[in-house]
Structure formats: C-alpha cells, structure tokens
Amino acid sequence: MSASSATGTSRTSWRWAIAVVCALGLAINYIDRSAISVSLPYMTEDLHISETQQGLILSAFSWSYAVMQIPAGSLIDKFGERLMFGAAVFVWSLCTGLTFLANSFAVLFGLRLGLGIGEAGAYPAAAKTVSRWFPQRERARGTSVYDSGARIGSAVATPVIAGIIGLWGWHYVFLIAGILGILWAIGWWALYRRPEAFFGRVSDGELAHINEGREEEARLTAQASTDTAIPVRILLRKRAVWAMMIGFFCVNFAVTFFLTWFPTYLVDERGFDLLKLGVFGSIPPICAIVGSWCGGLVGDFLLGRGWSLTRTRKTCLVVGMVLTAFIGAAAAVPTAGMALTLMSISYFGSAFTIVTIWCLPGDFVPTSTVGVLGGTQNFFSNIGSALNPIVVGALYGATGAFGLPLLLSGVVCLVGACVFALMLPNVAQIDFSRDLTHAQGATA
C-alpha cells in the first residue's frame, strides 16, 4: 500500500500495534523484575546471603524505582516517549545483564538499585504513549494491552526462569534477559514515531479517531496558556492526585509480594519443589493477564453503555481492590491449592485495578503532563513496593510464617478501596489556569 493510500479516509489500526509493542517492553520489564525473586532461593548459597540481606536486595529495586519516578516522568514529558522509553529499557537491561557477574551481596544490591533507576520510566512512558495514541473511550483497552504485557512477563518468568536455572544455573537467567531488553530498545528507537509522523502509515480516519474528544483538554491547555507539563508542586495541591497516590500505594503494597517473596513462600511454606514452582507458580500471573484484559474491556464497555467516567472508573477501582484483598484470606487456609486459588483471585484483582489507575493521568491532565503525573502517582505507590519486602521479611523472620504479612496486605487493600470510593473526586480534566496564574504571579 502506498503512503498516499494509507493516509486516505479508510481507517488504519496502528494504535493497537503500538500498544502491543509497549506490552512487549513491559513484559521484558517484569521478566527482569521477577528474575531475582525466582532465582534468589538458588543464589543464596553461592553468594552467602542472609534472610535480612534477601529482604534488602528485594527492596533495593523499589527504592530507586520510587525515587526516580518523578524525574523520569518529567524527562519523558520534556524529551518524549520515543527517546526516554528506549533509554529506560536500555539502562535496566544493562543492569540485568551485568547481574550475570554478581559475586557478592554488595554488587547484587548495587545492580538492583540500577535496575530500579532504569525501570522507573517504563510505565509513565507507556501511559503517555497510550494517551497520545488512543481516544479516551478506548484508553482503558489500550492500557490493558500494555499492562497485560507486565502480567505476561510475570507468568512467563516463573517457568522459563526455573527452566534456565535447571539447565544452566541462575547466572544465565540475567544474561539472556539483559540481551532481550537491549534488542527491544534498539527496535523502539528505530521504529516508534508519534501518530502524525508515523512514516505516513496512519490514515486520516485513524488520526481523527485518535484525536476524538480532546477538545476539553485543548481548551484548558489554552486557558492555562501553557502546553508544557504542569509542575509537580501544583499537581500535589489536587485532591485527585493524592487519592491516586494513596490508592496506588495500597495495591502496590500487596502486588509486590507476588514479585518478591511469592516463590519463597511456595518453596518454604507450601513445600513446592523446582518443578511445582515452575508449573503452579505461573497460575496467579496468568490470572493477572486475564484481569488486565478484563479491566480494559469492562471499563470501556461501561463507558459505551452510557456510564459516566467517574462512575466507571470508581466502580472498576473499588471492585478490583476488594478482589486484591483476597490475599489476606490465603493466610487462613490449610492447603496449598486453596492458598493458590485465593492468591490467583488477588493477582487478578490487582491487574484489574491497575489498568484503571493508569487511565487516570490521561483523564485528569493534558497529554503534556501525563508523564509527570504518572511518575508522581507511581513514586508514591512504589514506596509501598519498597516497604513490602522489608516488612514481609521482618515479619517472616520473627514469626517463621507468612500468615501475618498476608493478612496485613489484605487489610491495606481494603483501605485502598475506601480511598478510591471516598477520596477520589469526579473524574474530569483539572483546570490548572488559576494555579498557574498564581504561580506566575509569585515568581514575577
């Protein structure tokens, strides 16, 4: 097809291809995150790592990841998702690959910090990409596509990493994952463009579809006399931003268990060997893939049925958080099968929730600010991610069981449901014109 015919009135569907490429990047993201948790039970003997040091290693990623969220979001808004998404993947993949050479706690801890710095840009960049490529009424499905990549990465990671460990040892897990990410980054830099500059492939019909419903965003941007990112200090004055941050903190506190201590829980408390870990350990992540798809489909379906944006987003958030709280019930059941079922429901619920959470930046702010708002909410949420491995490790070490940490995670999820139900205001583009006027007057 010629470029001229591609840009005619017939509608192309390149936005879905872009979402799939983002999904692949996030799949690599979560494979790299999961590599340490699956490998850690088999690394401890080689590196002589204590339980306390294991907790520090598992949390190191989250601390640097959280600290870098706002800077990463700001860089994405300033330099664009093409440059920064590729740079993020390249940095974290380099740190993953170098883990092949880790020979001590200190080296491993440092590389985990580097991994967090690189991965900080992944979700804000994907959120900005989908905000740019999808109209609001399709944004939940677009978000579910790239978010499901993270869940696919988690599901694939456990059996594949267990297989690599069985064949060649834990070192090669990190070498293979690092090479895969670097190849993705090179491909992204070479191929990604914005809709209007996508090699003449995006039709006029698809461009019109992508820009559908952006009139209010354009009006408020013009009224605020800025097309640059809104400063973080102004975002933090808004109740919506605090509700997003606190609610995301709660779901991330729970979901981080699956990315860190879950394999150890199955091996130590439920008696799984390597084979069972590889087979049954992938069930909750598979359920999370379905949860991500359902989050996108349900959200867009409810909007299509005439539900308001506020009612749609709040319903999905609260229902998802309640389902995520099922992780707490796993503490009270006697069998591994029952615990695995409850955790599968919980992981499903977390993915269902997170799809809607990542729609909120595009719902509340213009595209120019999606990166920094996404980074801001992700910063606070990843404080929960950083705390979870330490808290779980401390409670596990003190009690010798995972019951209390799981119960605590369930309670935190119920708190998050209340935050989204009661604290999150009506979902609509925020008018920043008055805030920006005051800020400009103060600096005049």
Side-chain angles (χ1 to χ4, degrees), residues 238-251:
K238 303 301 180 181
R239 173 182 159 189
V241 175
W242 282 99
M244 291 162 63
M245 291 193 301
I246 296 171
F248 205 178
F249 171 99
C250 293
V251 71

Side-chain angles (χ1 to χ4, degrees), residues 343-361:
M343 288 193 164
S344 297
I345 294 171
S346 176
Y347 214 175
F348 173 97
S350 69
F352 187 96
T353 306
I354 288 170
V355 166
T356 301
I357 287 174
W358 279 107
C359 290
L360 295 177

Side-chain angles (χ1 to χ4, degrees), residues 183-249:
L183 291 175
W184 185 95
I186 293 171
W188 176 262
W189 282 325
L191 298 177
Y192 177 80
R193 299 292 188 274
R194 295 181 180 184
E196 62 276 9
F198 194 67
F199 304 110
R201 297 289 184 178
V202 178
S203 68
D204 293 340
E206 185 174 12
L207 277 175
H209 181 74
I210 289 169
N211 291 318
E212 175 186 299
R214 296 182 189 263
E215 295 81 7
E216 180 65 6
E217 174 185 326
R219 185 187 70 80
L220 290 175
T221 298
Q223 187 173 331
S225 300
T226 181
D227 59 358
T228 58
I230 307 298
V232 174
R233 67 181 185 277
I234 292 179
L235 292 175
L236 292 177
R237 298 174 188 172
K238 303 301 180 181
R239 173 182 159 189
V241 175
W242 282 99
M244 291 162 63
M245 291 193 301
I246 296 171
F248 205 178
F249 171 99

Side-chain angles (χ1 to χ4, degrees), residues 29-51:
N29 178 300
Y30 268 71
I31 289 172
D32 290 2
R33 290 194 202 188
S34 301
I36 192 70
S37 60
V38 179
S39 302
L40 194 57
Y42 309 96
M43 299 171 70
T44 52
E45 293 183 7
D46 289 350
L47 303 182
H48 307 291
I49 301 171
S50 68
E51 288 183 352

Side-chain angles (χ1 to χ4, degrees), residues 58-339:
L58 291 172
S59 71
F61 160 85
S62 293
W63 286 112
S64 58
Y65 184 80
V67 167
M68 286 301 297
Q69 282 299 312
I70 295 175
S74 298
L75 288 171
I76 291 162
D77 284 332
K78 183 175 182 179
F79 295 109
E81 60 274 20
R82 176 176 176 241
L83 175 63
M84 296 311 301
F85 202 169
V89 179
F90 185 86
V91 169
W92 92 55
S93 299
L94 185 62
C95 290
T96 299
L98 289 174
T99 306
F100 173 83
L101 303 174
N103 58 3
S104 68
F105 164 76
V107 172
L108 187 57
F109 186 81
L111 289 171
R112 290 291 293 175
L113 289 174
L115 181 74
I117 291 171
E119 291 203 2
Y123 260 94
K128 190 176 182 75
T129 301
V130 165
S131 177
R132 191 179 300 282
W133 274 84
F134 284 80
Q136 188 175 71
R137 65 185 177 90
E138 285 185 350
R139 204 164 287 162
R141 276 176 289 168
T143 301
S144 74
V145 171
Y146 78 71
D147 182 68
S148 68
R151 315 307 153 199
I152 292 170
S154 296
V156 167
T158 302
V160 170
I161 290 171
I164 294 173
I165 292 171
L167 289 172
W168 303 303
W170 63 264
H171 296 80
Y172 285 90
V173 169
F174 299 97
L175 181 63
I176 293 169
I179 292 172
L180 186 63
I182 290 172
L183 291 175
W184 185 95
I186 293 171
W188 176 262
W189 282 325
L191 298 177
Y192 177 80
R193 299 292 188 274
R194 295 181 180 184
E196 62 276 9
F198 194 67
F199 304 110
R201 297 289 184 178
V202 178
S203 68
D204 293 340
E206 185 174 12
L207 277 175
H209 181 74
I210 289 169
N211 291 318
E212 175 186 299
R214 296 182 189 263
E215 295 81 7
E216 180 65 6
E217 174 185 326
R219 185 187 70 80
L220 290 175
T221 298
Q223 187 173 331
S225 300
T226 181
D227 59 358
T228 58
I230 307 298
V232 174
R233 67 181 185 277
I234 292 179
L235 292 175
L236 292 177
R237 298 174 188 172
K238 303 301 180 181
R239 173 182 159 189
V241 175
W242 282 99
M244 291 162 63
M245 291 193 301
I246 296 171
F248 205 178
F249 171 99
C250 293
V251 71
N252 254 16
F253 184 88
V255 79
T256 300
F257 179 84
F258 293 98
L259 304 174
T260 54
W261 284 103
F262 182 58
T264 302
Y265 165 78
L266 293 180
V267 171
D268 290 356
E269 187 148 314
R270 297 297 180 176
F272 283 32
D273 58 21
L274 184 60
L275 177 61
K276 287 184 177 179
L277 175 63
V279 175
F280 295 104
S282 64
I283 294 175
I286 290 171
C287 291
I289 296 170
V290 179
S292 186
W293 290 338
C294 288
L297 291 171
V298 170
D300 286 351
F301 172 78
L302 294 178
L303 285 176
R305 295 282 293 178
W307 283 37
S308 70
L309 189 60
T310 298
R311 185 184 178 193
T312 297
R313 298 294 193 238
K314 284 198 171 190
T315 298
C316 291
L317 290 168
V318 173
V319 169
M321 288 301 296
V322 170
L323 291 175
T324 310
F326 274 58
I327 191 174
V333 297
T335 68
M338 295 170 67

